[in-house]
Amino acid sequence: MKTIDVEKLVDKFKLKQLNDAPIDSIVTVSDVKRPGLELAGFFDYFAPERVQIFGTTELSFIKELPKELLVERLRKLCSYDIPCIIISRSLEPPEELVEAAQQGGIPLLSTDYSTTSFISRLTDYLEEKFAPEITKHGVLVEVYGVGLFIKGHSGIGKSESALDLVKKGHRLVADDAVIIRRFMRGALVGRSPELSQHYMELRGLGIINVRTLFGAGAVRDEQSIDLIVELEKWDESKNYDRLGIQEEKEEILKVTIPKVTVPVRPGRNLAMVMEVAAMNYRLKRSGYNAAEDFTKRLEEKLKSE
């Protein structure tokens, strides 16, 4: 299970600590919480594993509570194993909150950001850190803004095709091993392992540094995965789709990605095919499907005759 130290949050967002509690606690989930219902006394569905955010609303509310009730609710809140409490806008917390957090051993932190802005930044950071990921064999390139994940058996020509695309002005993201991460919104983003970033292996030639050979504009650190291109050896007995009406799909980390299968045989310009695949994907995203348009025109022609 992935975890993040609260100390990393302090360093990342330049948080100020308001008590002496140790900051060795850990965050285990990407969600954050504003404990409004809990401050009102309702703890049935409290999620103590989340980072707790106190903004103007929460602090204004607890200041209106009678002191005995305030102390009771804050002590109950801080009796849970909370990773940390963060106060936005550098607001001054009531002494009762400082004491309750200290007694519960919970770090009480403060940020200059507004509540909404800080929650947005913190959530984005935690989602990125907690996003599930997997490493897959293949090549990831960016072609006309479309992320193509090229896969296929070893030696089929993935790296050579990617190099041809780079020469045409497109960008390499990862060769051989692609680390794929799923974000909460259901998008896949791929990157290269740090060790092999910007490097490519070409059989018969060896390892090359794409950034050094073609410049900084020939590579990028990460890219969304929009289309899977699977290369396979041309099989004369196989019936390949010639219209493109039946769309293939593949699931990675529970995200479904459109896929095209490209048969490989000598003399076929794979880089050009992939460029067209990327442009065709963009057209489909904009609402135009050439295969459906052609089929419709063909049906109308047959009916008229």
Side-chain angles (χ1 to χ4, degrees):
M1 184 178 70
K2 292 182 179 180
T3 62
I4 296 176
D5 297 334
V6 170
E7 190 172 0
K8 286 187 178 179
L9 297 185
V10 174
D11 294 337
K12 170 70 178 177
F13 296 101
K14 303 297 186 287
L15 303 177
K16 179 183 177 183
Q17 187 167 4
L18 305 178
N19 65 356
D20 298 325
I23 54 173
D24 56 358
S25 52
I26 58 173
V27 181
T28 59
V29 295
S30 60
D31 296 319
V32 300
K33 182 170 179 58
R34 299 182 69 173
L37 287 174
E38 290 72 26
L39 295 175
F42 186 75
F43 283 84
D44 288 3
Y45 298 99
F46 182 45
E49 70 278 5
R50 302 181 184 181
V51 174
Q52 307 295 314
I53 309 293
F54 277 65
T56 305
T57 304
E58 290 77 18
L59 293 180
S60 299
F61 175 75
I62 62 178
K63 285 179 181 177
E64 298 297 323
L65 292 175
K67 185 169 182 178
E68 290 184 4
L69 187 58
L70 170 61
V71 171
E72 176 191 334
R73 289 181 183 170
L74 289 178
R75 283 182 178 175
K76 185 172 182 180
L77 179 76
C78 295
S79 66
Y80 291 89
D81 190 15
I82 296 172
C84 65
I85 296 173
I86 302 176
I87 297 174
S88 63
R89 296 182 181 274
S90 294
L91 296 170
E92 190 70 27
E95 191 60 36
E96 292 83 359
L97 176 57
V98 177
E99 290 178 2
Q102 185 69 35
Q103 289 177 4
I106 300 169
L108 183 62
L109 309 170
S110 175
T111 177
D112 294 334
Y113 289 109
S114 67
T115 310
T116 305
S117 175
F118 181 71
I119 288 177
S120 176
R121 291 167 184 264
L122 179 60
T123 302
D124 286 346
Y125 175 75
L126 293 177
E127 282 186 358
E128 180 182 353
K129 293 299 181 182
F130 284 111
E133 64 180 35
I134 188 173
T135 301
K136 281 189 169 289
H137 177 66
V139 180
L140 181 58
V141 290
E142 183 249 308
V143 180
Y144 298 128
V146 178
L148 299 185
F149 177 49
I150 308 169
K151 54 182 292 190
H153 292 300
S154 182
I156 196 71
K158 299 184 295 295
S159 296
E160 289 81 359
S161 300
L163 182 60
D164 208 358
L165 288 168
V166 169
K167 288 180 65 180
K168 288 173 175 283
H170 307 295
R171 295 191 283 182
L172 174 74
V173 181
D175 178 62
D176 192 45
V178 182
I179 300 174
I180 302 173
R181 179 188 294 138
R182 186 192 78 210
F183 286 97
M184 297 299 288
R185 58 183 177 272
L188 296 180
V189 174
R191 72 179 193 277
S192 171
E194 188 175 351
L195 180 65
S196 60
Q197 191 176 43
H198 306 156
Y199 288 94
M200 178 181 283
E201 178 195 353
L202 296 172
R203 280 177 172 78
L205 188 60
I207 304 295
I208 64 170
N209 188 317
V210 174
R211 181 187 174 100
T212 302
L213 283 175
F214 298 98
V219 296
R220 65 176 302 166
D221 293 338
E222 62 179 27
Q223 168 67 36
S224 62
I225 297 177
D226 304 303
L227 180 65
I228 297 172
V229 179
E230 180 158 13
L231 304 180
E232 67 171 37
K233 225 173 194 180
W234 189 291
D235 186 353
E236 295 290 347
S237 63
K238 186 174 179 179
N239 222 352
Y240 292 105
D241 185 12
R242 299 181 67 179
L243 290 178
I245 294 177
Q246 296 180 347
E247 292 188 350
E248 295 181 84
K249 295 184 182 296
E250 184 172 322
E251 189 177 275
I252 300 176
L253 292 174
K254 298 183 179 179
V255 177
T256 302
I257 303 293
K259 171 183 170 182
V260 294
T261 300
V262 178
V264 178
R265 66 177 179 183
R268 198 163 195 213
N269 191 334
L270 294 179
M272 183 189 68
V273 173
M274 291 182 195
E275 283 184 316
V276 174
M279 290 187 287
N280 195 45
Y281 169 82
R282 292 180 62 176
L283 277 176
K284 286 182 179 180
R285 287 291 299 271
S286 66
Y288 175 77
N289 189 313
E292 291 178 356
D293 185 48
F294 174 78
T295 304
K296 184 179 178 180
R297 293 177 64 183
L298 180 61
E299 289 175 350
E300 290 174 353
K301 180 69 174 176
L302 292 173
K303 284 179 182 178
S304 67
E305 293 180 356

